[in-house]
C-alpha cells in the first residue's frame, strides 16, 4: 500500500471511530480538557503505529486499547495532583461505563439513520430549530405560522424519531 492510500485509510478509519474513541476517553478522565489532550495524543500514537494495525481487524478495538494506555500514561503524569485514584477505580469505571457508552453510540447511530428516513421538510424544521439561536418563535414568524403549530410539528417529528430509534434498538439492528 502506498503512502497516500495508507493516509486515506487511516483518516477514514479515525473519522469513523473518533466519536467512539473520544467518548471512551471521557469515561476514563474527569474533564474535557484532559480528554481533549488524551484524544490528541491517542490520534498521534494511532498514526505513528498505524503500520502495526492489521487491516481487516477492528480499528475501534485497537484504537480503544491505545486510548486506554494513553489515559493511563496521562494519569501517571498527573499523580502529583492532590487526589489520585487507583487503577482499580478506573478499571471499575471502565467496566460500568463501556456498556452505557456502547448503548449511547448505538442510539446515536439509530438517530442518524432515523433522521435520514424523515422527509426533507421535517429534517429542515429540525435543523432550523436546533441550530444555534434557533427558536420556535423565529420559525413561526418566518413561516407565517403560529408557535403552537410549530410546536405540534416538532412534537410529531420527535415522536416519529423516538419510535424509530426504539424499533432499531429492539431489533438490535446495528445501523
Amino acid at each position: 500500500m502506498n503512502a497516500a492510500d495508507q493516509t486515506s485509510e487511516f483518516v477514514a478509519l479515525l473519522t469513523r471511530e473518533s466519536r467512539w474513541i473520544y467518548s471512551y476517553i471521557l469515561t476514563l478522565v474527569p474533564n474535557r480538557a484532559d480528554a481533549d489532550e488524551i484524544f490528541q495524543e491517542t490520534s498521534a500514537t494511532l498514526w505513528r503505529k498505524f503500520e502495526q494495525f492489521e487491516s481487516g481487524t477492528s480499528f475501534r478495538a485497537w484504537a480503544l486499547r491505545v486510548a486506554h494506555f494513553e489515559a493511563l500514561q496521562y494519569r501517571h503524569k498527573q499523580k502529583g495532583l492532590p487526589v489520585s485514584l487507583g487503577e482499580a477505580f478506573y478499571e471499575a469505571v471502565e467496566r460500568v461505563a463501556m456498556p452505557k457508552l456502547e448503548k449511547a453510540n448505538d442510539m446515536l447511530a439509530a438517530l442518524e439513520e432515523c433522521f435520514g428516513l424523515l422527509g426533507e421538510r421535517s429534517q429542515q424544521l429540525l435543523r432550523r430549530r436546533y441550530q444555534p439561536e434557533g427558536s420556535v418563535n423565529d420559525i413561526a414568524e418566518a413561516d407565517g405560522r403560529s408557535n403552537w403549530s410549530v410546536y405540534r410539528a416538532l412534537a410529531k417529528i420527535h415522536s416519529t424519531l423516538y419510535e424509530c430509534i426504539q424499533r432499531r434498538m429492539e431489533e438490535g439492528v446495528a445501523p
Side-chain angles (χ1 to χ4, degrees), residues 13-61:
L13 290 168
L14 184 62
T15 300
R16 187 181 73 214
E17 301 298 343
S18 62
R19 180 174 49 215
W20 250 102
I21 298 165
Y22 189 77
S23 298
Y24 173 73
I25 292 168
L26 279 173
T27 69
L28 302 175
V29 295
N31 65 56
R32 289 195 180 274
D34 292 342
D36 291 346
E37 191 171 327
I38 294 168
F39 180 76
Q40 292 302 318
E41 285 301 316
T42 299
S43 298
T45 301
L46 290 170
W47 174 243
R48 279 193 311 274
K49 296 184 175 193
F50 189 60
E51 61 212 24
Q52 297 173 13
F53 173 69
E54 294 179 34
S55 193
T57 63
S58 173
F59 182 81
R60 179 185 299 169

